[in-house]
Amino acid sequence: MRKLIYSIYKEFYLLKRDKAALATLFLMPVLLVFVITFLQDNTISQLQKSKISIIFINNDKGELAQSIEDGLNQTEYFQLDSLYEGHLISDSLAYKLVAKGDYKVFIKLPVGMSNALDQNAANLYKLKVSPIVQDSEDAKRLGKNISVFFDPTIQKLFKTSVLDALEKSIEKVKSKILLKTFSQEILNDVYQLSGGMIAMGKDSINLTQDDLDLVKIDQQYAHKDKMIVMPNSVQHNVPAWSMFAMFFIALPLAGNMIKERDSGSLKRLLSMPISYSTILSAKILIYIAIAFIQFVLMMLVGLIFLPLLGTPVLNLGDTYFGLFLLVISSALAATGFGILVGVTASSHEQASAFSSVCIIIAAAIGGVMVPVYLMPTTMQDISVYSPLAWGLNGFLDIFVRGDDFWSVLPNVFRLLLFSMTALVISSFLFKFKNRKI
């Protein structure tokens, strides 16, 4: 035990001497969260043109429904799915698929929606032209709303693009229906009065925006039990860049291992009554502690400092034990990667370049920089192998979807398996290199 304590002290002393590494570990991720989140919260970038699969259930089949379906298809952004594993998607299954994140959007068109639009247009004419029927049951608006359910992790820009496409499709057919209905009603009134004057409460027909809302879009987020967290840019960016920052501990970890090897310190340590596994255990423990401190700092940024700039407050969800496990497993994965690079690389420059490029690529394909659902299909298939994607998905399940402890276990196991695999390979390579020497 005493040997382990002295080994930990040695690692702490080496790290304390490297001021640049400490600045990289703590200041860089904090600045990243500030800049990226604050800019994304106040600016809108252009949505890239990639096909996004959304569930589309059309129970109406009328003119309005056909206009909406054609409008969504013509945007070239969306692929409308009504089948899942060869079967028609039911309402309950569609809701569950969106709540789990398998799909990002579920659009449901109710039965009789197109007929309700025709009737609402006729009722609007009665209300504006014939004051006598303003309190009549015949003039009341029929409620046939379009239901749209979003995955809580969906980004605001993509959500806006879906709603805009829906509203444009509705506006196109609504104008046509209003013109047709008002013309027909006026002709009917003229015919009934046989050339007389139509009694109007006003000199002209004044239509407000509320009058024109003949079909409304009922939008909400799909959730498994209850909605805990309101999705926003902070909920997305803080966990994403926390994962990115934690994996950057591989750089100083690999660098210190190479320094020990080149200076002969490692040989002197191994000549003492101490095993290589003890030396590695010390490194793992000290860098897990660093990763944990990093994560706490990032959470404090989201909880305290970002709200001072006007952004929403970070919500940590309810499963703190699940969050703790996810942080520890992510730190272990990052540490395992750093040790693997330290054992494999032959120079400090090689380790820095290799680990930096690998981390950035893993972050890019893992959804840290661009949401996975906006990527091409090939890249989406590759993204499932990124350890940063596993950690990020776990954090989003807790922070945004409000999932429980059990939901994060699959991603925790993946990260632990990645860490163990990296450590086993590192141990094998270390023994092989020392055998050659």
Side-chain angles (χ1 to χ4, degrees):
M1 188 64 185
R2 207 155 97 191
K3 296 174 183 177
L4 178 61
I5 293 173
Y6 280 114
S7 296
I8 292 174
Y9 176 76
K10 183 264 301 179
E11 293 295 332
F12 175 75
Y13 183 78
L14 286 174
L15 190 64
K16 187 178 69 172
R17 289 197 311 174
D18 195 347
K19 301 296 191 297
L22 286 173
T24 302
L25 287 171
F26 297 117
L27 295 181
M28 181 272 295
V30 170
L31 290 174
L32 275 175
V33 172
F34 262 108
V35 174
I36 299 296
T37 305
F38 188 65
L39 288 179
Q40 192 178 66
D41 195 66
N42 292 276
T43 60
I44 298 178
S45 58
Q46 185 179 4
L47 179 67
Q48 67 180 46
K49 292 185 178 180
S50 57
K51 286 278 188 178
I52 309 299
S53 295
I54 63 178
I55 300 175
F56 185 80
I57 297 180
N58 185 355
N59 294 322
D60 180 59
K61 307 299 183 182
E63 183 180 4
L64 175 58
Q66 190 59 50
S67 174
I68 291 174
E69 187 169 353
D70 292 342
L72 291 173
N73 283 322
Q74 288 170 6
T75 61
E76 298 181 355
Y77 293 152
F78 313 117
Q79 175 182 321
L80 306 184
D81 291 344
S82 58
L83 299 176
Y84 183 72
E85 296 181 348
H87 302 284
L88 283 173
I89 303 177
S90 63
D91 292 357
S92 58
L93 176 60
Y95 189 89
K96 290 178 182 177
L97 290 173
V98 175
K100 289 193 303 180
D102 294 342
Y103 282 85
K104 295 300 172 184
V105 186
F106 163 36
I107 299 175
K108 178 184 175 183
L109 307 184
V111 177
M113 180 185 64
S114 297
N115 291 334
L117 175 60
D118 293 335
Q119 187 59 51
N120 287 340
N123 291 345
L124 177 62
Y125 176 83
K126 294 176 183 178
L127 286 170
K128 293 299 178 179
V129 177
S130 304
I132 298 174
V133 299
Q134 284 186 0
D135 295 326
S136 171
E137 289 292 325
D138 295 335
K140 288 188 177 179
R141 186 165 299 176
L142 300 178
K144 291 288 185 180
N145 297 340
I146 300 171
S147 299
V148 184
F149 299 93
F150 292 101
D151 174 15
T153 65
I154 195 171
Q155 291 206 349
K156 185 177 180 181
L157 180 60
F158 179 66
K159 176 187 172 185
T160 302
S161 68
V162 174
L163 295 176
D164 284 346
L166 276 175
E167 289 170 357
K168 286 178 181 177
S169 301
I170 294 170
E171 287 295 327
K172 181 179 178 181
V173 72
K174 184 175 72 176
S175 302
K176 179 181 175 181
I177 295 294
L178 279 173
L179 180 60
K180 182 179 72 174
T181 302
F182 272 50
S183 300
Q184 186 63 45
E185 293 290 339
I186 290 173
L187 288 174
N188 290 340
D189 286 345
V190 170
Y191 177 76
Q192 291 173 7
L193 295 174
S194 302
M197 296 297 294
I198 300 174
M200 293 187 181
K202 298 181 181 179
D203 295 332
S204 60
I205 301 175
N206 295 318
L207 300 178
T208 65
Q209 186 58 46
D210 289 338
D211 294 330
L212 295 175
D213 287 336
L214 303 181
V215 177
K216 294 186 178 180
I217 300 175
D218 179 21
Q219 53 173 304
Q220 55 184 297
Y221 291 100
H223 49 85
K224 296 178 181 177
D225 295 311
K226 58 180 181 177
M227 191 63 207
I228 299 175
V229 183
M230 195 65 185
N232 53 62
S233 61
V234 175
Q235 299 296 127
H236 286 271
N237 281 307
V238 172
W241 293 106
S242 295
M243 281 299 302
F244 187 75
M246 278 196 284
F247 265 79
F248 255 91
I249 67 174
L251 273 72
L253 172 55
N256 284 338
M257 290 181 67
I258 292 170
K259 285 180 184 177
E260 284 183 344
R261 188 179 64 208
D262 293 345
S263 65
S265 299
L266 181 60
K267 286 185 179 180
R268 289 194 292 273
L269 285 170
L270 292 175
S271 66
M272 300 177 183
I274 185 172
S275 65
Y276 185 63
S277 60
T278 303
I279 297 172
L280 280 186
S281 297
K283 294 181 185 297
I284 291 170
L285 289 174
I286 194 70
Y287 280 94
I288 284 177
I290 290 171
F292 194 83
I293 295 172
Q294 277 184 327
F295 183 80
V296 171
L297 282 176
M298 304 293 260
M299 296 306 103
L300 290 176
V301 169
L303 290 168
I304 300 173
F305 298 107
L306 279 173
L308 296 177
L309 300 176
T311 67
V313 179
L314 176 68
N315 192 312
L316 300 180
D318 286 341
T319 173
Y320 295 113
F321 182 63
L323 182 60
F324 173 78
L325 283 181
L326 195 58
V327 173
I328 296 300
S329 58
S330 299
L332 277 169
T335 305
F337 174 71
I339 291 173
L340 180 60
V341 173
V343 171
T344 307
S346 57
S347 66
H348 190 277
E349 292 77 13
Q350 187 183 85
S352 298
F354 176 78
S355 56
S356 298
V357 171
C358 284
I359 292 167
I360 292 173
I361 291 175
I365 66 175
V368 173
M369 301 173 184
V370 177
V372 174
Y373 59 85
L374 292 180
M375 297 179 184
T377 305
T378 304
M379 294 303 296
Q380 290 183 27
D381 295 337
I382 296 174
S383 69
V384 298
Y385 299 104
S386 170
L388 276 82
W390 305 333
L392 176 57
N393 290 335
F395 285 125
L396 291 179
D397 285 341
I398 296 174
F399 289 178
V400 182
R401 292 192 178 97
D403 283 349
D404 57 15
F405 161 76
W406 300 104
S407 66
V408 303
L409 287 184
N411 287 312
V412 168
F413 288 144
R414 291 186 186 101
L415 289 164
L416 291 176
L417 181 60
F418 176 84
S419 176
M420 287 189 292
T421 303
L423 291 174
V424 168
I425 296 173
S426 300
S427 178
F428 173 78
L429 290 176
F430 176 79
K431 292 177 181 178
F432 178 75
K433 287 184 175 183
N434 277 278
R435 201 176 286 138
K436 285 180 66 177
I437 295 172

